[in-house]
């Protein structure tokens, strides 16, 4: 997928304002997206790269199911701490493509949202509806409306983790987004914590570093990490989950249809260790490594080794990581990082450049 820079920058813009607004709640995170065609067959059913085919795909929702991102801000109104109204604005950014031509497409969906939320202890349940519009990077527009249910895990007074499912109508087309987000509010003092979480968006660069590209192109990704802090904060042990929307650069046949650029979202889980180095009063550097395991199974020539397709299956990778962070509030920090992976067995090299935020739990 192309045009990653604008979308990834959007992921970190809204959390940057958290220090100046006590009553607002800010959130951002990754989503898994699934398009449902209004009529006809959904998928790559023919090799057609004309403007008329793109128009047909847009009108009926024959778009690639992949990954996306969301940022937003909301405010509590009326009611009590236990039950209250919520209003806010958010922006969904969806990475997709026209299924027939397989041309890349970004869909931007700004929305006004409102609903109710009930909070009990360290958890909250919300039901919301939204209205807005869908805009694409090639100039298409559509009205949009949505319904959403979400669960907040309130880890401290400043924020926590949000799980949500949103069903949107974009004209006659349906889009479902399942999200994992970080939400923060205020700029209060953070207590001593043994846990933190991180959430990133970014780009994968296959073939960068020691190893091969296997004819994979650059891909968007999102990554989550949960870390246990040890040794007074000097070391961390973490569990990570990454979803990368990989796509081959080589055209092959797909279920009897030619011209296919095979794509698949690759989920991976990892275990990491890193160590902290203070670079002055504000900047913290962390460096370390670990291992990831992913399911690369695909019968449709996702990975190509020379003239032949490569069957990968479950594979492990050695990982080296480095990141730099600066604080936004005592419990929230902005992070930029690089992960270098070498996938054992296939020899695939993968470099990830990531931007995101961390939250002390």
């Amino acid at each position: 997928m192309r045009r990653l820079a604008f979308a990834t920058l959007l992921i970190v813009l809204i959390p940057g304002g958290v220090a100046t607004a006590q009553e607002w709640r800010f959130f951002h995170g990754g989503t898994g997206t699934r398009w449902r065609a209004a009529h006809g067959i959904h998928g790559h059913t023919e090799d057609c790269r004309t403007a008329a085919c793109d128009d047909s795909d847009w009108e009926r929702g024959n778009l690639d199911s992949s990954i996306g991102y969301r940022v937003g801000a909301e405010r509590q109104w009326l009611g009590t701490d236990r039950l209250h109204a919520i209003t806010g604005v958010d922006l969904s950014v969806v990475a997709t493509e026209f299924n027939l031509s397989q041309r890349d497409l970004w869909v931007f969906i700004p929305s006004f949202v409102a609903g109710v939320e009930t909070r009990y202890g360290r958890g909250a349940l919300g039901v919301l509806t939204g209205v807005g519009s869908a805009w694409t990077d090639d100039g298409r527009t559509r009205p949009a409306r949505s319904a959403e249910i979400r669960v907040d895990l309130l880890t401290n007074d400043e924020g926590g983790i949000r799980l949500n499912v949103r069903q949107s109508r974009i004209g006659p087309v349906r889009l479902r987004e399942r999200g994992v987000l970080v939400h923060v509010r205020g700029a209060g003092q953070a207590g001593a914590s043994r846990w933190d979480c991180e959430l990133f968006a970014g780009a994968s660069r296959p073939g960068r570093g020691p190893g091969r590209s296997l004819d994979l192109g650059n891909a968007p990704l999102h990554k989550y990490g949960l870390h246990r802090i040890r040794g007074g904060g000097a070391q961390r042990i973490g569990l990570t989950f990454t979803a990368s929307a990989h796509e081959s650069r080589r055209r092959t046949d797909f279920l009897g249809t030619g011209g296919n650029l095979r794509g698949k979202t690759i989920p991976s889980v990892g275990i990491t260790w890193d160590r902290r180095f203070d670079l002055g009063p504000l900047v913290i550097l962390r460096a370390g490594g670990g291992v990831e395991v992913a399911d690369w199974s695909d019968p449709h020539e996702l990975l190509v080794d020379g003239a032949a397709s490569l069957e990968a299956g479950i594979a492990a990778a050695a990982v080296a990581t480095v990141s730099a962070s600066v604080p936004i509030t005592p419990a929230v920090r902005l992070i930029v990082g690089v992960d270098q992976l070498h996938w054992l067995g296939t020899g695939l090299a993968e470099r990830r450049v990531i931007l995101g935020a961390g939250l002390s739990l």
Side-chain angles (χ1 to χ4, degrees):
M1 296 283 185
R2 299 184 297 272
R3 300 178 289 270
L4 288 172
F6 177 64
T8 53
L9 284 175
L10 289 171
I11 307 308
V12 296
L13 288 179
I14 287 184
V18 69
T20 60
Q22 294 284 348
E23 69 273 23
W24 285 88
R25 192 160 40 180
F26 303 84
F27 54 89
H28 80 128
T31 61
T33 64
R34 185 172 183 83
W35 295 88
R36 181 176 175 182
H39 57 84
I41 300 174
H42 183 268
H44 179 64
T45 57
E46 59 179 296
D47 183 15
C48 180
R49 303 176 203 173
T50 67
C53 284
D54 289 351
D55 292 341
S56 172
D57 276 353
W58 173 248
E59 291 299 321
R60 65 188 184 91
N62 188 30
L63 302 173
D64 184 47
S65 299
S66 186
I67 65 175
Y69 317 99
R70 186 178 301 146
V71 294
E74 64 189 20
R75 189 173 182 179
Q76 173 183 330
W77 299 93
L78 306 175
T80 65
D81 230 12
R82 181 66 60 85
L83 180 65
H84 46 260
I86 293 287
T87 58
V89 294
D90 63 47
L91 173 67
S92 288
V93 182
V94 178
T96 185
E97 64 183 23
F98 300 110
N99 268 334
L100 296 186
S101 70
Q102 301 207 302
R103 277 192 277 262
D104 294 340
L105 185 72
W106 288 93
V107 183
F108 304 91
I109 313 172
S111 298
F112 295 95
V113 296
V116 294
E117 180 182 78
T118 178
R119 178 173 176 175
Y120 185 79
R122 289 191 172 271
L125 174 67
V127 179
L128 299 93
T129 185
V131 294
S133 60
W135 302 69
T136 68
D137 62 350
D138 65 350
R140 303 168 191 268
T141 61
R142 272 277 178 77
R145 63 185 189 275
S146 65
E148 174 183 344
I149 185 169
R150 72 189 194 194
V151 175
D152 285 357
L153 307 177
L154 308 172
T155 56
N156 59 37
D157 288 339
E158 289 200 64
I161 305 299
R162 172 170 296 174
L163 310 175
N164 80 309
V165 178
R166 174 178 290 184
Q167 185 79 32
S168 298
R169 283 271 193 173
I170 302 174
V173 175
R174 293 183 184 180
L175 169 65
R176 185 183 68 199
E177 300 169 87
R178 294 177 177 174
V180 180
L181 305 95
V182 170
H183 63 91
V184 295
R185 64 177 179 178
Q189 296 296 316
S193 173
R194 293 186 176 184
W195 294 90
D196 65 31
C197 69
E198 296 176 344
L199 190 148
F200 300 98
S204 168
R205 310 287 298 277
R208 298 298 180 96
R212 303 179 293 174
S213 72
L214 298 180
D215 267 354
L216 290 176
N218 296 338
L221 65 88
H222 48 72
K223 175 183 176 181
Y224 311 97
L226 178 65
H227 303 271
R228 174 74 169 180
I229 300 171
R230 301 169 59 87
Q235 301 180 53
R236 298 187 309 178
I237 297 175
L239 179 67
T240 64
F241 173 79
T242 306
S244 305
H246 283 291
E247 186 175 75
S248 176
R249 294 181 296 188
R250 185 174 299 193
R251 293 192 178 271
T252 58
D253 289 343
F254 176 68
L255 300 178
T257 302
N260 177 60
L261 293 173
R262 177 59 178 161
K264 183 182 178 183
T265 299
I266 302 297
S268 65
V269 294
I271 298 175
T272 64
W273 169 90
D274 62 34
R275 186 174 183 86
R276 169 176 173 161
F277 303 91
D278 293 333
L279 303 181
L282 291 179
V283 181
I284 296 173
L285 180 73
R286 285 192 174 271
V291 62
E292 279 194 25
V293 177
D295 182 8
W296 287 90
S297 304
D298 186 79
H300 303 294
E301 301 182 67
L302 175 67
L303 303 178
V304 180
D305 181 16
S309 62
L310 180 65
E311 296 292 338
I314 304 297
V319 184
T321 67
V322 62
S323 67
S325 64
V326 294
I328 298 173
T329 78
V332 182
R333 60 195 183 278
L334 180 66
I335 309 170
V336 58
V338 176
D339 297 343
Q340 182 67 53
L341 292 85
H342 181 81
W343 290 95
L344 308 178
T346 63
L348 173 67
E350 182 183 4
R351 182 173 298 166
R352 300 170 182 165
V353 180
I354 50 179
L355 293 169
L359 172 69
S360 298
L361 305 182

